[in-house]
Amino acid sequence: NIAMAAQMTDAHRRFLQVLMSHGIMEGSEARKLHRRCCEIHKVYYAHDKLDDFISTINSHLQPLFMQIRKGMSEGDGRAHYALVNLAETEITKMASDYTENELELFRKAMDLIILSENGFASSTEILNLADQLKTKKMKKKEAEQVLKVFVEDKWLSERNGEYTLHTRCIIEMEQYILSNYQDVARKCNICHSLAIQSQVCESCGIAMHLPCVRKYFRAQTEPRCPQCNDFWSCDIP
């Protein structure tokens, strides 16, 4: 009793439930889950059909203004899948989970990260803003705790005291960031998704994710900008 996966099956429903509980999933995990769901519910499985499987789910999520979106980790270039709520902007989406001053701290951290040159903000920079919040000032200890929660909830990532936007945050908030930071937010010239941690061409100003830079220049003896053909002066990671 093998059902073709054009209509929503229990395999699709199980996949969606697991993704909802995770919020975001790395590509290899999503592929394993796809296989497991199809095997459990005896639904037609093909290893290269994950994206088709997901678009079946998406067609049923459309009336609910939800969508499973694919994005890339800016650190290692790996694919990730996240469930996104299309009906709400980033701030209203988070509003049910956080207090007003926590949201304000997040927005200020986001400002620092997006306006920085490398897509990171130090914990010191963020914590210095805690007692300048308009909604309600925060003690440093309290702010540290809130940042920890943002990391656990996959809105921020932290490495050696440096914070950046988590892959989940970038996938969910791409439109919000592009429209609210029009002067500085850029899309990667190679993969065309939002680039927070990126290198920028000194001549024409295009941006490229570090994994995209690595991949693009791998075969070139002399790195040249894909847009203006000038010498790429940044260090290739």
Side-chain angles (χ1 to χ4, degrees):
N1 180 22
I2 287 180
M4 289 299 282
Q7 78 266 25
M8 192 84 156
T9 67
D10 286 342
H12 293 87
R13 288 183 197 97
R14 181 181 288 255
F15 183 95
L16 179 59
Q17 275 171 341
V18 175
L19 183 62
M20 276 172 93
S21 68
H22 284 71
I24 185 166
M25 201 174 261
E26 208 252 311
S28 61
E29 289 301 307
R31 286 191 292 278
K32 274 186 219 154
L33 177 64
H34 172 215
R35 181 178 187 159
R36 203 159 63 237
C37 292
C38 290
E39 284 170 356
I40 290 169
H41 296 287
K42 299 184 170 53
V43 165
Y44 169 76
Y45 167 75
H47 71 91
D48 57 347
K49 294 285 185 229
L50 173 60
D51 287 349
D52 291 352
F53 184 83
I54 285 173
S55 50
T56 298
I57 299 173
N58 279 341
S59 64
H60 290 265
L61 287 176
Q62 211 175 352
L64 308 171
F65 300 103
M66 305 282 283
Q67 189 183 56
I68 297 173
R69 274 201 192 147
K70 190 177 182 178
M72 181 189 85
S73 155
E74 295 199 317
D76 57 20
R78 285 186 188 159
H80 283 70
Y81 292 87
L83 186 66
V84 176
N85 187 338
L86 305 172
E88 300 175 334
T89 66
E90 156 269 345
I91 295 301
T92 49
K93 192 181 298 161
M94 294 174 72
S96 54
D97 300 325
Y98 307 104
T99 63
E100 267 186 65
N101 66 334
E102 287 170 351
L103 280 181
E104 193 187 346
L105 185 69
F106 178 78
R107 264 196 297 252
K108 286 191 179 300
M110 203 172 181
D111 282 346
L112 285 172
I113 290 165
I114 294 170
L115 300 173
S116 73
E117 281 189 6
N118 62 354
F120 283 91
S122 72
S123 57
T124 315
E125 287 178 295
I126 300 171
L127 294 173
N128 283 343
L129 300 172
D131 57 1
Q132 298 168 28
L133 300 179
K134 289 189 177 71
T135 40
K136 182 174 161 236
K137 290 180 171 50
M138 236 186 243
K139 292 192 170 71
K140 284 215 166 110
K141 265 273 166 279
E142 199 187 336
E144 274 170 7
Q145 207 42 50
V146 173
L147 284 178
K148 216 169 137 193
V149 173
F150 286 144
V151 170
E152 280 164 14
D153 293 348
K154 302 187 177 88
W155 294 110
L156 296 176
S157 289
E158 185 267 341
R159 200 172 64 223
N160 306 327
E162 295 278 316
Y163 288 85
T164 189
L165 301 185
H166 193 282
T167 307
R168 173 196 176 181
C169 177
I170 293 173
I171 295 174
E172 289 223 18
M173 301 192 190
E174 180 165 2
Q175 284 320 114
Y176 173 88
I177 292 169
L178 287 168
S179 54
N180 284 274
Y181 296 89
Q182 284 176 0
D183 299 342
V184 287
R186 293 182 174 92
K187 284 191 172 188
C188 172
N189 190 265
I190 301 299
C191 72
H192 308 295
S193 56
L194 177 66
I196 303 293
Q197 297 172 48
S198 60
Q199 289 187 351
V200 175
C201 174
E202 285 184 0
S203 304
C204 69
I206 62 141
M208 280 159 73
H209 286 123
L210 304 186
C212 294
V213 166
R214 214 170 22 240
K215 219 181 285 180
Y216 183 77
F217 291 129
R218 195 181 285 153
Q220 299 187 19
T221 45
E222 192 183 52
R224 292 196 166 273
C225 172
Q227 179 82 12
C228 69
N229 207 33
D230 268 9
F231 181 73
W232 192 264
S233 55
C234 308
D235 292 335
I236 312 299

